[in-house]
Amino acid sequence: MKRFLLAILLVTPIATVHAESEDPWLVLQKAAQAAHDLSYKGVFIYQSGDNIKSVQITHTNSRQGEYARVVVLDGTPREMLSQGGDVVIFSSKNEKVVMEKRRAHNMFPAVLPDDIEYLKTSYKARVGGIERVAGRDGRVVFLDPRDNLRYAYKFWADREYGLLLKSLMLSEQKQMLEQMTFSQVNMLEDQGMDWFHPNVDHDKHYILEEASAQPIDEVSGWAIGTLPVGYRKVEQLTRLVPGKPAPVTQVIFTDGLASVSLFIEPLSKGIRPKIGQTSKGTTNFYANVSKGYQILVVGEVPAATVAQIGSAVSFNDK
Amino acid sequence: MKSQVSALIDGDIALEDAEYLYTTLKSGGESTRTWSDYHLIGDAMRGNPVFSADFTERLMARLDAEPVVLVPAAAAKRKRALLRNSRLWSVAASVSAVAFVGWVVLQQQVQTDIEDDTSPMEIAQNLPADYWLAHQSQASNNSAYYIQPANYAE
């Protein structure tokens, strides 16, 4: 039967038949793997609101492991080198270059989570047509939210290699919020490691930023109730902020694509409590005060999501 | 040459796979300096600065103590044995011409509220940029931080 179907597909010159046969989740799964497994080099355009930057990326994965170098080509010099899950960011600030060590983020084209299954609770996927991006044929996949607690996405996956060629985040009104799109991308043969080094400015001082955040296992004094559907806690840490007597606790949530941070700190003298909601670009903020604590929620999610997470915090009676 | 020295330090190239490099290192010159620069800054970045004068000497001693074996099987086994430092930090350290590596706790911009007012403030008037940056830098799904972090808004 399968062979029979395949024969039909092969002789049917209508592209839509082929499109319907493709599982959108498999396309996304392949794209998630391709971003980590393949070796490629290219330039992509990052756009968020009025901000547009060209970014060069070199990514290799050989028997030595996964390495990447990302260089922002416009504006203030900034680049990032990653090895596996570790990242060092070099950013110019006036006469200095600041080096930061971080855990790896999901960076384009590796924006999809390894566990695609997890997205199914929050998003619906459907296959679109073939569109050309960066001189290559891309299979369009739409990822629409099942509720109003997250944004919609549109992805273009390379038909040959599976790699994402373009990623678009859309508002409820289908307006572009954030976009990353390759203007040029090539697969790499074995490159050696000569490319894996930062561009060094000999006239500048290099300064290492000390990590200020520490992971913690438990929190006391408060608890988080029911989270918005699809969101789960992924990380919990405390950081000392200059000028604040008590450490600030940060809890990070994700639905697999979007992420939200919750900040909780005891109110202290001299720091004015904040309340209300505001937004900037794709980011929404929510602030409230309860039982002597300041709650602040930040995320690239709709306003309803930050408000729900903020209201899910309950404090123990003292 | 520099990148090969870097790979050697990381243990990605075994000494025996880079005999010519080893020989050059022993003979001194530019590669020896690169070698010690990498380690100096690498150690500094890991928080154990070694600024002693005999730094190069001790490195060369370490190098000398490393036997040169030209058997492929043994080579594979010992490949990462030299120094188990992450290549990444060495790469960070490949800022080799840097004259100075300092330690500074980045003072994220704290909003100093001059008036000691306990009445709540609408955040719409005053965007909490420090929290935004902390979110961006820690949340895993955030390409923006690499490209355009909140406090870099131009």
Side-chain angles (χ1 to χ4, degrees):
Chain A
M1 185 63 191
K2 262 189 182 167
R3 245 179 223 173
F4 177 60
L5 268 179
L6 188 67
I8 288 184
L9 287 177
L10 286 173
V11 295
T12 312
I14 307 160
T16 50
V17 173
H18 186 74
E20 278 162 15
S21 73
E22 220 165 345
D23 178 350
W25 294 110
L26 284 179
V27 176
L28 295 180
Q29 182 71 61
K30 194 181 173 194
Q33 278 168 6
H36 292 290
D37 294 349
L38 300 178
S39 297
Y40 48 89
K41 181 175 183 167
V43 173
F44 67 84
I45 312 294
Y46 168 86
Q47 187 178 2
S48 175
D50 296 336
N51 265 312
I52 302 178
K53 299 255 157 138
S54 291
V55 183
Q56 184 187 60
I57 181 167
T58 312
H59 176 276
T60 64
N61 197 343
S62 58
R63 59 198 162 82
Q64 293 172 317
E66 195 178 350
Y67 294 90
R69 179 174 182 231
V70 171
V71 184
V72 178
L73 300 174
D74 301 322
T76 316
R78 187 167 171 86
E79 67 174 289
M80 165 222 123
L81 291 149
S82 75
Q83 175 192 17
D86 292 313
V87 171
V88 179
I89 302 167
F90 295 78
S91 42
S92 288
K93 285 186 180 174
N94 305 323
E95 301 308 307
K96 302 181 198 111
V97 175
V98 177
M99 298 180 278
E100 290 172 71
K101 297 180 196 175
R102 298 277 173 209
R103 295 292 301 158
H105 290 204
N106 291 358
M107 174 72 185
F108 183 81
V111 289
L112 292 159
D114 298 332
D115 184 10
I116 291 289
E117 283 296 310
Y118 187 72
L119 294 177
K120 292 184 180 176
T121 53
S122 311
Y123 299 91
K124 290 173 288 188
R126 77 191 150 88
V127 159
I130 304 284
E131 289 178 22
R132 215 159 146 264
V133 179
R136 303 197 55 86
D137 280 345
R139 164 64 72 199
V140 175
V141 175
F142 295 93
L143 211 52
D144 294 315
R146 292 185 186 274
D147 50 34
N148 60 356
L149 297 172
R150 59 212 98 231
Y151 297 127
Y153 297 83
K154 185 179 176 187
F155 297 110
W156 287 252
D158 191 289
R159 286 190 78 195
E160 188 178 356
Y161 296 109
L163 190 71
L164 283 191
L165 297 169
K166 183 172 175 178
S167 156
L168 185 61
M169 185 162 79
L170 300 151
S171 71
E172 291 106 320
Q173 292 79 36
K174 298 291 168 203
Q175 279 181 314
M176 190 267 278
L177 294 173
E178 190 180 65
Q179 164 174 300
M180 286 150 291
T181 175
F182 273 118
S183 48
Q184 192 185 21
V185 61
N186 294 106
M187 293 299 140
L188 292 177
E189 298 296 317
D190 191 14
Q191 286 290 300
M193 291 304 293
D194 282 357
W195 58 274
F196 192 68
H197 62 83
N199 188 23
V200 175
D201 186 338
H202 296 237
D203 298 330
K204 292 198 171 173
H205 287 325
Y206 280 72
I207 290 173
L208 177 65
E209 184 204 28
E210 275 189 6
S212 58
Q214 297 293 328
I216 48 162
D217 294 331
E218 285 187 28
V219 293
S220 61
W222 51 272
I224 300 158
T226 313
L227 287 170
V229 178
Y231 286 89
R232 60 183 165 150
K233 185 170 92 177
V234 282
E235 208 180 355
Q236 189 161 280
L237 30 97
T238 59
R239 62 170 72 229
L240 284 165
V241 179
K244 285 185 182 165
V248 178
T249 305
Q250 180 179 9
V251 190
I252 299 164
F253 307 95
T254 184
D255 72 347
L257 280 171
S259 48
V260 182
S261 284
L262 163 72
F263 297 92
I264 294 184
E265 64 196 279
L267 284 173
S268 55
K269 263 198 165 178
I271 308 273
R272 220 168 148 184
K274 298 176 180 66
I275 55 159
Q277 281 204 250
T278 185
S279 70
K280 181 146 198 223
T282 59
T283 313
N284 267 288
F285 299 84
Y286 166 94
N288 205 357
V289 172
S290 178
K291 303 222 169 141
Y293 287 90
Q294 171 77 62
I295 301 166
L296 207 137
V297 190
V298 187
E300 291 73 35
V301 291
T305 316
V306 286
Q308 273 197 32
I309 290 178
S311 332
V313 181
S314 62
F315 295 90
N316 311 338
D317 286 319
K318 283 175 187 169
Chain B
M1 184 55 120
K2 269 189 187 174
S3 65
Q4 285 162 323
V5 173
S6 168
L8 190 63
I9 290 170
D10 299 333
D12 285 339
I13 301 178
L15 270 178
E16 49 274 29
D17 292 340
E19 201 190 357
Y20 69 98
L21 198 62
Y22 180 72
T23 316
T24 328
L25 278 171
K26 282 177 90 171
S27 67
E30 197 229 341
S31 11
T32 315
R33 277 199 304 278
T34 307
W35 172 271
S36 61
D37 279 352
Y38 270 62
H39 275 283
L40 187 67
I41 299 167
D43 281 353
M45 290 198 67
R46 280 182 295 277
N48 1 286
V50 191
F51 290 111
S52 57
D54 64 342
F55 189 66
T56 311
E57 273 172 43
R58 286 187 294 110
L59 273 168
M60 298 325 286
R62 236 190 275 181
L63 255 184
D64 283 335
E66 195 74 19
V68 179
V69 186
L70 292 164
V71 183
K77 236 187 218 172
R78 297 172 356 89
K79 199 159 185 185
R80 292 182 181 270
L82 183 60
L83 279 174
R84 292 192 167 273
N85 295 334
S86 154
R87 166 193 285 276
L88 188 62
W89 307 139
S90 298
V91 160
S94 70
V95 181
S96 58
V98 176
F100 164 80
V101 174
W103 289 266
V104 175
V105 179
L106 266 196
Q107 299 280 314
Q108 292 183 348
Q109 285 169 1
V110 183
Q111 286 147 15
T112 42
D113 299 302
I114 300 141
E115 53 213 295
D116 188 1
D117 195 344
T118 45
S119 65
M121 178 172 55
E122 272 292 327
I123 59 164
Q125 301 163 7
N126 196 346
L127 210 63
D130 42 352
Y131 293 92
W132 191 6
L133 190 64
H135 163 67
Q136 278 198 342
S137 71
Q138 291 293 339
S140 62
N141 302 310
N142 212 316
S143 293
Y145 185 68
Y146 291 139
I147 299 162
Q148 179 84 20
N151 70 335
Y152 280 75
E154 284 158 13

